[in-house]
Amino acid sequence: MFWPLIQVFWLSFQETSGFGLSEWIGFGNYREIMGDTVFWQALLNTSIYTVLSVPLCLVAGFGAAFLLNRPMPGRGLIRAIFYMPAVISGVSSALAAAWMFNADLGIVNKLLTAVGAGGVAWQSQGGPAMLSLVVVSLWIGLGFNMVVYLAALQGIPRELYEAARVDGAGWWQTLRSITVPSLAPTTFFLLVIGIINSFQVFDIVYVMTGGGPGNSTTMLVTYAYTSGFDQRRQGYASAIGVVLYAIVLILTVVQWRLSRRRDAV
């Protein structure tokens, strides 16, 4: 893992296609990034995707875990159904989703038409295209968050709930005062993992939208891939990767410090 990381840093200071000789250009790639409108669009798209998908996955994962932590008929089967997308290849899931969100033949538009809402141009409009990516990321990520939350819920001492019931606390007071605070470390872990994964999203974007229409769903990783392998600018693509690495590192450190400060209080 460390050797490729070192190579990326080294390549980011060069102009190279991956073949033949390379040219050392210092910070030339980084200066170009500063004025690259597509890069800033990709950064904005990635940020929007992260802000929408990560909280939804956290809330949905917690809700599913909270409901499925209680005894009910077929609980094991329901858990397996929720978790199944997490173990399926991302490309396979994206291919299935691409058909589902197809504007002409997809089941999503057929259902919308059936209830009188009308079809949506998922592939040719930026907003709906981004929304389809968020929905698919929720479908894929819900199962993992659910399993982690389930493990954390089952680790909360039962004595806390028994004491709350003795004191006359209802389910809402118990949820707010015991369950949610007890799950704070788990939520922080899933938040960090979710942000890292969302900034590295590639497969569902590449398969479903290809970054389009236009650059409305181009993410940092897809732009780096396009620059490195389609345009054969591997030095520039490496510089984008280094910037992405720095962004994720800064976000993780900030969240870690905030978590430490909260725990200290």
Side-chain angles (χ1 to χ4, degrees):
M1 292 178 61
F2 285 106
W3 178 242
L5 183 61
I6 293 172
Q7 285 183 307
V8 166
F9 275 98
W10 180 256
L11 283 174
S12 69
F13 296 103
Q14 303 177 51
E15 180 67 42
T16 176
S17 65
F19 299 101
L21 298 177
S22 59
E23 178 185 357
W24 182 268
I25 59 173
F27 289 94
N29 287 321
Y30 294 98
R31 286 194 294 268
E32 184 177 347
I33 284 177
M34 292 296 99
D36 188 349
T37 56
V38 179
F39 170 83
W40 293 108
Q41 180 66 50
L43 177 59
L44 177 62
N45 292 340
T46 305
S47 301
I48 292 173
Y49 173 82
T50 300
V51 170
L52 292 176
S53 63
V54 173
L56 284 175
C57 281
L58 287 175
V59 173
F62 172 76
F66 185 75
L67 293 175
L68 295 175
N69 193 42
R70 303 178 178 185
M72 64 175 62
R75 182 175 63 173
L77 176 61
I78 298 174
R79 287 178 177 177
I81 292 174
F82 273 112
Y83 189 70
M84 191 176 298
V87 298
I88 298 176
S89 164
V91 174
S92 300
S93 300
L95 284 171
W99 279 104
M100 292 171 64
F101 283 97
N102 184 280
D104 299 320
L105 304 174
I107 189 174
V108 175
N109 270 2
K110 291 186 181 298
L111 291 175
L112 291 175
T113 303
V115 298
V120 177
W122 299 103
Q123 288 84 19
S124 59
Q125 295 182 12
M130 178 66 75
L131 179 59
S132 69
L133 294 176
V134 172
V135 171
V136 173
S137 70
L138 174 62
W139 174 51
I140 295 174
L142 183 146
F144 175 78
N145 288 1
M146 178 197 72
V147 168
V148 176
Y149 270 128
L150 271 173
L153 283 171
Q154 293 171 6
I156 300 176
R158 297 295 96 186
E159 293 81 3
L160 295 178
Y161 292 108
E162 294 172 359
R165 282 194 293 269
V166 170
D167 291 339
W171 75 270
W172 172 248
Q173 289 82 4
T174 302
L175 176 66
R176 184 182 61 184
S177 302
I178 298 178
T179 305
V180 173
S182 298
L183 295 178
T186 302
T187 301
F188 172 72
F189 165 75
L190 291 174
L191 178 64
V192 172
I193 295 298
I195 290 177
I196 292 174
N197 289 339
S198 62
F199 265 85
Q200 295 178 338
V201 64
F202 174 78
D203 46 7
I204 63 173
V205 179
Y206 187 77
V207 173
M208 290 183 62
T209 67
N215 290 311
S216 59
T217 59
T218 297
M219 307 294 179
L220 287 175
V221 177
T222 57
Y223 186 46
Y225 176 87
T226 301
S227 300
F229 294 98
D230 291 347
Q231 302 175 10
R232 302 303 307 175
R233 302 189 62 197
Q234 296 195 358
Y236 190 66
S238 297
I240 296 174
V242 171
V243 173
L244 174 60
Y245 175 82
I247 292 172
V248 172
L249 181 62
I250 291 171
L251 289 174
T252 303
V253 170
V254 169
Q255 292 176 72
W256 179 74
R257 288 184 178 274
L258 290 175
S259 178
R260 288 283 300 273
R261 186 178 302 173
R262 186 197 65 239
D263 293 341
V265 174

